[in-house]
Amino acid sequence: MMTAKSKTIRSENQIMKPSPGLKLLLVFSSMVLMLYKCQAGTTNLHPLILIPGNGGNQLEARLTNEYKPSSLLCNRWYPFQKKKDGWFRLWFDPTVLIAPFTSCFAQRMTLYYDAVSDDYHNAPGVQTRVPHFGSTESLLYLDPRLKHITGYMAPLVESLEKIGYVNDETLFGAPYDFRYGLAPEGHPCHVGSKFLQDLTHLVENASTSNGGKPVILVSHSLGGLFALQLLNRNPPSWRRQFIKHLVALCAPWGGTVDEMLTFASGNTLGVPLVDPLLVRGEQRSSESNLWLMPNPEIFGRKNLLVITPNATYSASDVPRFLDDIGFREGVHPYKTRVLGLMEELVAPGVPITCVVGSGVKTAETLFYGSNSFDEQPEIVYGDGDGTVNMVSLLAHESLWSDMKNQTLKTIRVPGVSHTAMLKDEDALDEIVREISGINSQLSFVENVSVQ
């Protein structure tokens, strides 16, 4: 007969010595838990760098004694709020909505092309700088005091933080002076080239600080063109070592028809109360805007994009178009600098995922009446994301899909516009899902359409 004491001992022995089947189950459960923690933890994440689009980060300015205001209101005292050393936020400044100050803003944002030095520079007496390079801080809101109306990458950053990314550890930002562009070999481009150098160093440092893991680049809009130039201007060995993947959101590979509207008549970009003619000169002066003109190889050399009573213009007629709208000073830099860049749409040999909006009416043909380019045109719309035409968004497929060493994937998000790509829940889900897949090596199915 078994005593109570022997029962207790037997029970203790059963607990201390589980059966072989239970042992196997416990080991398996521990392995699953460890794998889950590894995948969910930040240690498994590749460092990620965000590259914004045109107007997608803050800019600061300071006025020197050389500054000549265009009016009394634009004197050096404006704006009232400045840092102790004189720096103030140039972009975005909400007073741009008030007509007298719109002119001040435009004067201070304007670039000038110097044919002698073959490069662009600021207006005399205006110094500019990009705050918080390396951090996401200046990408979140264009004005932190007006978060609800100037939010940019804040929703995307929040979504990335939810899967474990940490600012300044695994998550970085690459803001830049988006007014400046780049130039082909043989042409100076001080500001744009300096940005690519800084971005190269940021990529290397982000990789080194994360155990040598290669970096995921996530670009929006114009940032995709800079990312492509970064990759192609570094040797293949550098790309293999430091770049894991490029995720390009709404990349205007072949430019936009909307840019021809901007140059001809000015573009308020949906900002209310602003007269487009007050900002047209500043917008024409932007080197990067000139870079975003429609690429003849993508839009075709005979497809008419602008029609007037006296002339028609295709993408191959941009020099004549610039002359006819009264911007003759843009013809030379377009011919010598921009066309060379348009010819450099070369596959970089690193995996690329392009996330594009579709089904949003996008300017396809501009019809001007007899009252010159000072009036807004009648517009025929086509497919795109509201800013970039579909033929440009999908140019990577027509250019690179047959390349043996180039892996491509396209994700279409119907009904999502160029700016909504960074805010729309469905779009953010797709972007984060893709980045999670890249981190776990499970990302590639060549073409995806979100319903």
Side-chain angles (χ1 to χ4, degrees):
M1 182 177 180
M2 186 178 293
T3 63
K5 183 176 180 180
S6 65
K7 284 183 180 180
T8 302
I9 293 173
R10 183 176 177 182
S11 177
E12 288 175 351
N13 287 341
Q14 287 175 337
I15 295 172
M16 293 175 65
K17 296 181 179 180
S19 66
L22 183 58
K23 276 186 177 181
L24 183 61
L25 179 62
L26 289 172
V27 170
F28 179 75
S29 299
S30 298
M31 290 175 64
V32 170
L33 182 61
M34 289 175 64
L35 180 61
Y36 173 79
K37 287 182 176 180
C38 180
Q39 290 181 340
T42 59
T43 55
N44 193 48
L45 297 175
H46 287 264
L48 188 150
I49 297 176
L50 296 170
I51 308 173
N54 199 348
N57 56 259
Q58 300 167 24
L59 288 181
E60 293 182 347
R62 181 169 64 181
L63 306 178
T64 70
N65 292 331
E66 296 178 43
Y67 176 69
K68 304 297 182 185
S70 57
S71 69
L72 182 61
L73 282 174
C74 294
N75 216 320
R76 290 179 61 192
W77 58 264
Y78 166 75
F80 297 113
Q81 291 186 336
K82 297 186 182 74
K83 297 179 180 179
K84 290 182 179 179
D85 53 2
W87 290 98
F88 60 91
R89 184 175 294 109
L90 178 62
W91 179 260
F92 172 77
D93 178 7
T95 59
V96 70
L97 303 178
I98 305 171
F101 296 112
T102 304
S103 297
C104 299
F105 162 80
Q107 180 192 11
R108 295 170 181 183
M109 285 282 286
T110 296
L111 296 183
Y112 294 86
Y113 173 70
D114 181 4
V116 175
S117 64
D118 186 26
D119 205 354
Y120 285 80
H121 61 81
N122 284 344
V126 179
Q127 298 176 342
T128 52
R129 70 180 183 184
V130 179
H132 312 300
F133 182 82
S135 169
T136 62
E137 185 172 348
S138 74
L139 316 179
L140 304 177
Y141 309 97
L142 302 182
D143 186 340
R145 298 168 299 180
L146 300 170
K147 292 183 177 180
H148 292 296
I149 63 173
T150 69
Y152 182 59
M153 281 193 169
L156 175 59
V157 169
E158 290 170 5
S159 298
L160 292 172
E161 289 173 342
K162 288 178 181 178
I163 62 171
Y165 276 99
V166 178
N167 190 41
D168 297 330
E169 294 182 13
T170 51
L171 181 61
F172 307 89
Y176 57 99
D177 192 331
F178 45 80
R179 301 171 302 159
Y180 289 88
L182 291 170
E185 187 176 355
H187 295 269
C189 188
H190 176 72
V191 175
S193 296
K194 177 64 164 55
F195 169 63
L196 287 192
Q197 291 173 5
D198 292 341
L199 182 53
T200 297
H201 294 150
L202 180 61
V203 167
E204 294 170 355
N205 292 337
S207 174
T208 301
S209 65
N210 283 273
K213 291 187 180 71
V215 172
I216 300 171
L217 299 175
V218 178
S219 65
H220 180 240
S221 191
L222 175 65
L225 298 185
F226 276 98
L228 182 62
Q229 290 290 327
L230 169 79
L231 297 174
N232 285 331
R233 295 187 186 201
N234 278 293
S237 58
W238 184 90
R239 293 174 238 165
R240 287 192 295 270
Q241 180 177 354
F242 291 109
I243 302 298
K244 174 70 173 176
H245 206 106
L246 169 60
V247 179
L249 314 177
C250 310
W253 302 119
T256 76
V257 173
D258 193 60
E259 208 61 53
M260 298 186 83
L261 169 62
T262 298
F263 274 79
S265 310
N267 195 335
T268 65
L269 304 176
V271 178
L273 307 178
V274 175
D275 181 352
L277 296 182
L278 289 179
V279 295
R280 180 175 64 178
E282 175 269 321
Q283 291 173 333
R284 287 177 174 181
S285 78
S286 168
E287 182 182 16
S288 60
N289 279 348
L290 203 59
W291 190 9
L292 291 171
M293 280 291 200
N295 187 325
E297 298 301 321
I298 304 302
F299 281 83
R301 297 183 177 277
K302 296 183 179 181
N303 183 31
L304 298 182
L305 306 179
V306 179
I307 298 174
T308 76
N310 300 315
T312 58
Y313 308 91
S314 70
S316 63
D317 298 318
V318 168
R320 179 166 58 89
F321 170 77
L322 294 173
D323 194 8
D324 289 352
I325 65 173
F327 187 54
R328 183 170 297 178
E329 57 268 40
V331 174
H332 178 71
Y334 176 80
K335 286 182 174 180
T336 60
R337 297 165 68 89
V338 173
L339 282 177
L341 287 176
M342 289 181 173
E343 295 169 357
E344 293 180 0
L345 288 175
V346 179
V350 303
I352 298 177
T353 298
C354 292
V355 186
V356 305
S358 65
V360 182
K361 66 177 188 177
T362 305
E364 193 166 86
T365 311
L366 311 177
F367 288 88
Y368 283 91
S370 58
N371 295 325
S372 81
F373 293 104
D374 289 346
E375 294 187 0
Q376 295 293 307
E378 295 290 331
I379 301 175
V380 171
Y381 294 95
D383 195 7
D385 66 8
T387 299
V388 184
N389 308 86
M390 189 56 65
V391 68
S392 179
L393 291 169
L394 300 181
H396 60 285
E397 294 183 351
S398 60
L399 292 171
W400 306 330
S401 60
D402 294 332
M403 301 282 183
K404 291 183 179 179
N405 297 323
Q406 182 59 63
T407 307
L408 294 176
K409 178 179 178 179
T410 300
I411 300 175
R412 301 193 194 201
V413 190
V416 174
S417 70
H418 196 74
T419 53
M421 183 63 71
L422 300 173
K423 304 172 185 178
D424 180 85
E425 289 186 8
D426 289 338
L428 291 174
D429 286 346
E430 284 300 317
I431 295 166
V432 171
R433 185 179 297 114
E434 181 66 11
I435 291 170
S436 298
I438 293 167
N439 277 300
S440 63
Q441 298 292 330
L442 298 175
S443 69
F444 255 79
V445 176
E446 285 194 0
N447 289 287
V448 177
S449 181
V450 182
Q451 301 299 327

